[in-house]
Every structure is written in structure tokens, then in C-alpha cells.
Amino acid sequence: MPAKPKTIDEYIASFPADKQKTLQEVRAIINKTIPDGKEVISYAIPAICYKEKPVVYFTANKNHIGMYPVPSAPEIEKEFAHY
């Protein structure tokens, strides 16, 4: 992974194909759930902002993919509960 990716596409492209596929799936779910969200890189990882505030981050690690809703956005966390 690059030290500081500038875009989510750059972040995802830095992983092997199997992780890229899963990251793209997670990205699509987030974008479907938050259609007015804005994609950014924050803390060197992908984040989706809503009303200018990050509401969910997602990452790839050696053994898992992580999705991290921001605690100050509980209404967003509820939206992901059925996935």
C-alpha cells in the first residue's frame, strides 16, 4: 500500500485482486447506503463523509476487511446493520 494514497481508487489498487474485489464491494454498499456521501482519504484510509463529516471508514488488512462507523453517527451504523 502506498504511504499516503490520494484517492480511494489508489488505495484499493494497492492491494491484491481478491482484496480489491472485496474493497470495491464494501465501497459500493457504503455508497448505496449513503448516496449523498463524499469519498475522501482520511488518516491514509478510505472514508465516506456526510455533511462534511466522516461517518464511516473502511480498510484492508492482512487477514480481514474492516468497516468502522464513526460513533458520532449512530443513524449511519443502523443503516449497515442488515449487511
Side-chain angles (χ1 to χ4, degrees):
M1 178 172 63
K4 292 185 179 183
K6 294 180 182 166
T7 67
I8 292 179
D9 287 329
E10 186 178 302
Y11 177 88
I12 291 173
S14 70
F15 290 94
D18 61 328
K19 290 222 191 270
Q20 287 182 31
K21 181 179 183 292
T22 305
L23 285 166
Q24 290 290 13
E25 290 169 357
V26 169
R27 181 186 197 181
I29 289 167
I30 294 169
N31 285 322
K32 180 180 177 185
T33 305
I34 310 169
D36 295 330
K38 178 182 175 190
E39 296 186 336
V40 300
I41 294 291
S42 179
Y43 300 107
I45 61 172
I48 305 300
C49 294
Y50 181 72
K51 296 183 180 179
E52 303 300 320
K53 294 181 182 179
V55 292
V56 64
Y57 294 85
F58 63 101
T59 64
N61 297 290
K62 183 177 180 180
N63 297 313
H64 70 279
I65 301 292
M67 190 172 83
Y68 309 99
V70 175
S72 63
E75 67 281 357
I76 299 299
E77 189 172 2
K78 290 176 189 173
E79 292 292 324
F80 292 110
H82 67 279
Y83 286 102

